Amino acid sequence: MTTENDCDVLIVGAGPTGLTAACELLRRGVRVRLVDAAAGPSIHSKAMLVWPRTLDILHDLGLDRPVGEIAVKLRQMTYYSEGRTVTRMRMADELAPYCLPQRHTEEILYDGLKGLGGSIERDVRLLGLQNVDFSGAVTPGAQVTAVLEHGDGVVERFSVPWVIGADGAGSVVRNQLGIAYEGATYENRFLITDARIADNPLDPDEVHYYQSRNGVLAVVPQPYGLYRFFTNAPAQLDNGTLADMQRLVDQRGPGGLRLIEPDWVTTFRVHRRRAATFQLGRVFIAGDAAHAHSPMGGQGLNTGIQDAENLAWKLALVVRGDARPELLESYTPERAIVADAVVRDTDLQTRAAMWTGTSQVAVRDTVMRVLNRTKTLDRFYAPVAAGRRWVYPPSPATAAPRGPVPADWCDARSALRRHAKQGASLPRPLALALGVAGPGVDPVRYCVLVTPDEDGDGGRLAEAVRNLVRPWRRQVRVVDAGARRNAAGRSGAALLRETHRQLRCRRPGFHLIRPDGHIVLHGHRPELEGLYAELRRILTDPPTTAQDSSDADELDLPTTISATEEAMSDTSRYIPPHTIVGEGPHKVIVLHSLFAGKSGFSAWWPYLDGKSFTYAFIDARGYGEARDVAGTYSMDEFASDTLVLADHLGWDEFSLIGHSMGGQPIQQVYLKSPDRVRKLIGLSPVPANGMPIPDSDFPLFADAAHQVGNRRIVVDLTTGNRLSAAWLDAFSAESMQAVGAVPFRSYLDSFRTTDFAARIQGATVPALALVGENDPAVTADAMNETWMKHYPSSELIVLSGCGHYPMMETPIALATVLEKFLSA
């Protein structure tokens, strides 16, 4: 069978890499289809360590809290040779990894996926890829056809613009592309056992590496009292058992450890390989599909998740029409550098750990003791393992040759500190304090961080930067480090001093920072033209306005845009249908309910204050003027389209009103772009944790997708069984015209099952919940248990004389109450 394309990206493989890619794309408004050949998730622990850079990614997704609740934080790694301690690496708190078995990592990511409206299609196997452009070109409008086999034997042909292969070391995607998987396989087999230790004498936060002429043994504490035992297996051992591991632990370990209650025992081979490229045209590979290496150091899962983040934000910007396809060309060189380093370092660790020759052991032990005395591992290796020292190569525009002496003293100083270099990531605590990173930060926009001098005097630099980036206001935001307070409430001056100290530059300047936190470019006022050139290289240009032209003229910068670039930008962005009411300075976007599109608000429009407010009423995909627009018909898609509309209208700041179903996506808009949302108003809103419908009532709602009679019953019920039969008949008939059965049922399922309450809990945005006194479905009690707990400082109003549809039942009263709140 052939299916219509209703998504932007097909992801093959639902392990940690594929799940991360799906979450990162969904939160940026990209439609995703995620398939996996397995019938269910793995029950085994597999990869275990989560290093801080990976935890940053989970934090930005709002998924880091479960890690701290489940995982074991590892604070020390001790290395032994022939039973004697040779070195001990103490992990600083900000660099220490967590031990979190892969199955738990996947569960956390899957919960995040569901909260974003996504799902996994299991028992779906990729048979092949067709229409791949093997020249590597990204032709506008082209698609790749995936041939998929379902568990029931049905073969599906599915065309999609982009494909990501996250399907493991035996990747079907990589093999279909004919990409070489270069490297080798270790001669030794390895044995893993996850088990408990009887009368355990080991510390719960310390990793032990035992090296001897008998072999290597690693012992790693896990959650719930389990331990991971990892060792090279004897040549004759094909399928190890608990007894085999016990024997090897007795030979190679400290003695006295008795293994009991095994959770997993497996024997396997280890590879050290890297794909020749991670991209061919519109198809990418990531994670184990792109590289494989020894588990020494616990980098595998982390490298894959970081691959997914690096690719997802770039691909999202291209799909949204915000960036040029050339941005994707940086994916392979950036991640190949990391993969090569991980393969090299883990290979060295693995080979050194298994040395048995007398001279080899002597050299290894001497080096380890020197590293211990000099604290080299603590100072240098730990930050690299934590993911804090990766520096990506500069872009062509920023890689101009330099003389032997840098032009600016700050360049020389940053060369001595990797985290201040172009290509390095902004230090995480600083990024959080400045509002450049974190779960509440807009994930789709670049940031220009402006740093005045310590007197706060940056001349006209901040103003000049704002003028310069105005043509890209939907893609770039400006953060003035001298005008912020940090999360602890310290003064802006103290935060600015810390910014100068960490970035090694005290002159008024700027840093262009990518959505993943890496520094693209650093400069001062004389380098503004370089900033402009870099933005033009990366981002698509919107049509130039007269104001943009005058700003560019003042800076003596070019303003032209090619017809090809305009065409690519225009055709790659979907603008939702909308109706504008009013022309006031306070911008408000209004999202509709399940039963009606934007026209359901038309009775309300004459009573709105058009001088103080400008209202934009939107039709979701599948509704009204967008009835024939394909989509995933999910809450996250509705939210993402809302942000696209705001960008299209040029509204940098706005308030949001969501009625019933629309109450959930307005909260997701806030999560995606909290700095743009002034106020939130929920009219009988579906809360952030969804709206479960009792099993006894669900058939009534589900059949309302195609039965006008069911819609009439639900509308009559939710308005208190008090409105006229003529109105009920008319509204139900209009509802059938407004939305068809497929989007109705899809949106119903989406807001029932979507749950992002943990991510929005405690939000400080000014918020209002309004319910009708005659609405038995969404009551004040229900709001007190959901909305009011999610927004502790919010208001709750019960509007008299109406039920679930106050914009039709009491439009004047509703306008009065809401505009009073918006004006406050």
Side-chain angles (χ1 to χ4, degrees):
M1 78 178 169
T2 301
T3 53
E4 295 294 327
N5 170 34
D6 61 353
C7 76
D8 303 302
V9 183
L10 171 67
I11 302 174
V12 182
T17 302
L19 284 164
T20 302
C23 290
E24 291 283 5
L25 288 166
L26 283 169
R27 79 182 184 112
R28 292 174 169 90
V30 176
R31 298 171 301 167
V32 166
R33 183 178 182 186
L34 176 60
V35 302
D36 194 278
S42 173
I43 62 173
H44 300 305
S45 55
K46 295 186 176 180
M48 295 197 306
L49 296 194
V50 175
W51 288 92
R53 176 67 189 114
T54 301
L55 196 62
D56 296 345
I57 296 171
L58 296 176
H59 181 212
D60 289 343
L61 286 167
L63 302 176
D64 59 313
R65 184 181 301 173
V67 177
E69 294 171 351
I70 299 172
V72 174
K73 194 164 190 177
L74 305 176
R75 302 181 184 278
Q76 186 163 279
M77 296 184 181
T78 303
Y79 295 79
Y80 305 85
S81 181
E82 304 297 341
R84 299 184 302 276
T85 303
V86 291
T87 190
R88 179 172 282 118
M89 183 169 64
R90 298 168 181 84
M91 309 293 291
D93 190 65
E94 67 275 12
L95 300 178
Y98 285 87
C99 183
L100 183 71
Q102 183 173 320
R103 64 173 178 266
H104 296 303
T105 305
E106 291 184 9
E107 288 168 0
I108 291 168
L109 286 166
Y110 181 56
D111 287 343
L113 179 74
K114 291 189 296 183
L116 291 164
S119 62
I120 302 173
E121 296 178 50
R122 293 214 173 264
D123 208 8
V124 178
R125 184 164 62 97
L126 177 69
L127 297 180
L129 294 174
Q130 299 173 349
N131 302 324
V132 175
D133 188 339
F134 284 91
S135 73
V138 180
T139 306
Q143 294 200 339
V144 177
T145 299
V147 182
L148 304 171
E149 182 183 38
H150 294 254
D152 58 3
V154 172
V155 175
E156 173 192 4
R157 292 171 57 84
F158 178 74
S159 294
V160 66
W162 306 93
V163 176
I164 298 175
D167 49 342
S171 172
V172 176
V173 173
R174 187 191 65 242
N175 291 332
Q176 283 286 305
L177 299 180
I179 296 174
Y181 202 38
E182 300 162 345
T185 302
Y186 289 95
E187 294 180 4
N188 299 78
R189 287 186 175 86
F190 291 85
L191 176 63
I192 279 180
T193 300
D194 293 340
R196 300 182 187 279
I197 302 174
D199 301 320
N200 178 24
L202 302 180
D203 290 334
D205 60 355
E206 183 175 6
V207 179
H208 300 271
Y209 289 100
Y210 297 95
Q211 301 160 122
S212 72
R213 289 177 172 80
N214 291 321
V216 62
L217 171 70
V219 183
V220 185
Q222 298 187 57
Y224 310 119
L226 287 169
Y227 278 77
R228 160 69 55 87
F229 296 86
F230 170 82
T231 188
N232 56 309
Q236 70 277 10
L237 186 63
D238 291 325
N239 296 296
T241 64
L242 178 66
D244 292 322
M245 180 58 85
Q246 180 68 68
R247 176 172 53 81
L248 295 172
V249 168
D250 292 340
Q251 290 177 358
R252 302 170 182 180
L257 300 182
R258 185 165 62 89
L259 281 58
I260 59 173
E261 302 175 26
D263 184 67
W264 186 40
V265 182
T266 186
T267 309
F268 63 100
R269 287 192 180 275
V270 172
H271 306 272
R272 53 183 190 280
R273 299 181 183 273
R274 201 261 279 176
T277 181
F278 298 173
Q279 176 189 7
L280 184 63
R282 291 179 170 271
V283 186
F284 304 85
I285 55 175
D288 288 350
H291 41 74
H293 49 81
S294 166
M296 293 289 283
Q299 291 292 330
L301 176 145
N302 298 268
T303 309
I305 286 178
Q306 291 163 34
D307 286 347
E309 184 218 25
N310 183 288
L311 173 58
W313 73 261
K314 295 171 182 174
L315 187 55
L317 264 63
V318 171
V319 170
R320 290 165 54 94
D322 289 333
R324 305 179 192 278
E326 289 78 9
L327 176 63
L328 297 169
E329 295 174 3
S330 65
Y331 170 61
T332 291
E334 289 183 357
R335 294 310 299 167
I337 284 177
V338 176
D340 287 342
V342 171
V343 171
R344 181 191 64 239
D345 293 348
T346 56
D347 180 54
L348 178 61
Q349 292 178 55
T350 302
R351 290 180 180 279
M354 293 190 297
W355 281 346
T356 58
T358 301
S359 59
Q360 291 176 322
V361 170
V363 169
R364 183 191 66 203
D365 293 354
T366 300
V367 171
M368 295 294 283
R369 289 189 178 96
V370 170
L371 294 176
N372 186 49
R373 284 195 293 270
T374 59
K375 305 299 181 187
T376 300
L377 290 177
D378 304 37
R379 295 164 55 197
F380 296 102
Y381 174 74
V384 171
R388 299 300 192 207
R389 292 289 180 86
W390 298 122
V391 178
Y392 292 142
S395 71
T398 61
R402 294 175 179 265
V405 179
D408 296 306
W409 174 235
C410 64
D411 290 341
R413 298 181 68 181
S414 69
L416 302 175
R417 297 294 294 269
R418 292 172 67 87
H419 63 231
K421 290 168 65 75
Q422 291 174 173
S425 59
L426 199 68
R428 181 70 177 184
L430 181 64
L432 293 172
L434 290 168
V436 175
V441 171
D442 188 339
V444 299
R445 291 201 284 174
Y446 278 73
C447 170
V448 181
L449 174 64
V450 180
T451 50
D453 58 28
E454 291 192 2
D455 295 329
D457 181 12
R460 295 178 57 244
L461 180 60
E463 179 184 356
V465 169
R466 289 190 180 93
N467 287 336
L468 183 147
V469 306
R470 184 173 290 134
W472 297 284
R473 56 182 169 267
R474 78 166 185 260
Q475 299 122 306
V476 184
R477 63 194 183 99
V478 178
V479 172
D480 186 347
R484 290 187 60 88
R485 290 179 176 271
N486 68 10
R490 294 167 58 194
S491 70
L495 182 56
L496 180 59
R497 285 194 297 272
E498 182 65 13
T499 304
H500 285 151
R501 186 186 70 81
Q502 294 208 42
L503 295 181
R504 324 307 292 178
C505 178
R506 300 185 182 277
R507 296 171 52 197
F510 64 84
H511 288 77
L512 175 61
I513 301 168
R514 310 185 327 181
D516 64 351
H518 281 261
I519 299 168
V520 179
L521 183 68
H522 169 52
H524 309 90
R525 186 174 178 86
E527 287 80 49
L528 282 177
E529 187 168 353
L531 173 61
Y532 187 88
E534 182 67 7
L535 292 176
R536 288 212 65 212
R537 187 189 71 83
I538 300 169
L539 305 175
T540 53
D541 292 339
T544 306
T545 66
Q547 179 63 48
D548 295 333
S549 298
S550 65
D551 295 335
D553 290 341
E554 179 184 343
L555 294 166
D556 191 26
L557 298 171
T559 60
T560 58
I561 176 172
S562 72
T564 301
E565 291 162 358
E566 285 186 333
M568 180 165 283
S569 178
D570 290 343
T571 59
S572 58
R573 289 179 67 82
Y574 164 73
I575 308 300
H578 54 283
T579 297
I580 300 295
V581 177
E583 54 185 8
H586 190 148
K587 315 299 185 184
V588 185
I589 303 178
V590 186
L591 278 60
H592 57 73
S593 69
L594 178 66
F595 279 71
K598 62 183 174 65
S599 62
F601 290 95
S602 58
W604 194 38
W605 295 345
Y607 308 107
L608 298 175
D609 180 359
K611 294 182 179 180
S612 301
F613 303 95
T614 301
Y615 292 90
F617 294 84
I618 184 174
D619 265 334
R621 299 180 194 233
Y623 280 83
E625 294 178 34
R627 182 175 171 121
D628 296 328
V629 176
T632 58
Y633 307 135
S634 66
M635 296 296 96
D636 187 74
E637 179 183 71
F638 199 179
S640 298
D641 284 347
T642 301
L643 277 170
V644 170
L645 176 61
D647 293 340
H648 172 73
L649 296 172
W651 292 3
D652 291 332
E653 189 178 54
F654 47 85
S655 294
L656 291 160
I657 298 174
H659 175 226
S660 190
M661 173 184 80
Q664 196 174 66
I666 65 171
Q667 300 175 74
Q668 290 177 300
V669 171
Y670 172 72
L671 283 176
K672 293 172 184 290
S673 294
D675 55 325
R676 301 178 70 181
V677 177
R678 294 179 63 175
K679 295 187 176 183
L680 284 180
I681 298 177
L683 306 181
S684 302
V686 173
N689 58 316
M691 185 169 284
I693 298 173
D695 292 343
S696 58
D697 296 338
F698 185 69
L700 173 67
F701 284 84
D703 290 344
H706 54 272
Q707 296 286 347
V708 66
N710 286 49
R711 294 199 191 190
R712 188 185 190 280
I713 292 170
V714 173
V715 173
D716 189 22
L717 172 69
T718 56
T719 52
N721 305 112
R722 48 185 291 279
L723 300 183
S724 72
W727 181 85
L728 291 171
D729 290 340
F731 180 73
S732 301
E734 291 170 4
S735 175
M736 295 297 291
Q737 291 298 314
V739 58
V742 172
F744 182 99
R745 179 58 189 272
S746 298
Y747 283 117
L748 173 65
D749 290 340
S750 180
F751 74 68
R752 286 176 58 235
T753 58
T754 298
D755 184 353
F756 51 90
R759 296 171 58 210
I760 208 162
Q761 186 82 28
T764 58
V765 62
L768 169 68
L770 186 148
V771 298
E773 66 172 349
N774 299 314
D775 184 355
V778 184
T779 64
D781 289 342
M783 290 296 96
N784 281 322
E785 290 302 313
T786 55
W787 181 284
M788 302 301 288
K789 290 183 177 179
H790 301 157
Y791 304 94
S793 59
S794 63
E795 301 178 41
L796 174 62
I797 294 177
V798 178
L799 195 62
S800 61
C802 67
H804 198 68
Y805 297 91
M807 67 290 299
M808 303 177 191
E809 300 172 76
T810 56
I812 299 175
L814 178 64
T816 303
V817 169
L818 296 196
E819 290 184 341
K820 180 180 179 181
F821 174 77
L822 290 170
S823 300

